[in-house]
Amino acid sequence: YLSKLKAELKTPFLVGFGVSDADSAKRLASVSDGVIVGSAVLKGIGTTKNFEDAKKFVAEFVGSLRRALDSCK
């Protein structure tokens, strides 16, 4: 469905539902112009014990997304 939608649209579109990890980001980016990640970041931060752990989680999580998305190019 999303690849058909992308072919019909004249403007870029992003997908924000179901993006919970690097694999889903890569899969959804292949049929859209980008992905939006929110809940997965907040859930991950919620598992940390302090600010430093939260920063480390975000850096690692976003890094995994970046690597997955870069491999789509």
Side-chain angles (χ1 to χ4, degrees):
Y1 173 79
L2 292 177
S3 41
K4 289 179 184 178
L5 180 63
K6 182 178 179 180
E8 295 295 321
L9 291 175
K10 302 210 184 323
T11 58
F13 82 101
L14 307 174
V15 177
F17 292 98
V19 185
S20 59
D21 56 27
D23 289 336
S24 59
K26 183 177 179 177
R27 183 174 26 82
L28 290 168
S30 71
V31 293
S32 68
D33 294 303
V35 296
I36 301 167
V37 182
S39 298
V41 173
L42 295 177
K43 285 179 187 175
I45 290 171
T47 67
T48 63
K49 296 181 190 253
N50 56 51
F51 183 68
E52 291 303 315
D53 289 346
K55 287 192 316 184
K56 182 178 178 184
F57 166 80
V58 170
E60 290 173 358
F61 185 73
V62 172
S64 72
L65 296 174
R66 178 77 269 160
R67 287 185 297 279
L69 295 173
D70 284 346
S71 72
C72 290
K73 294 180 182 180

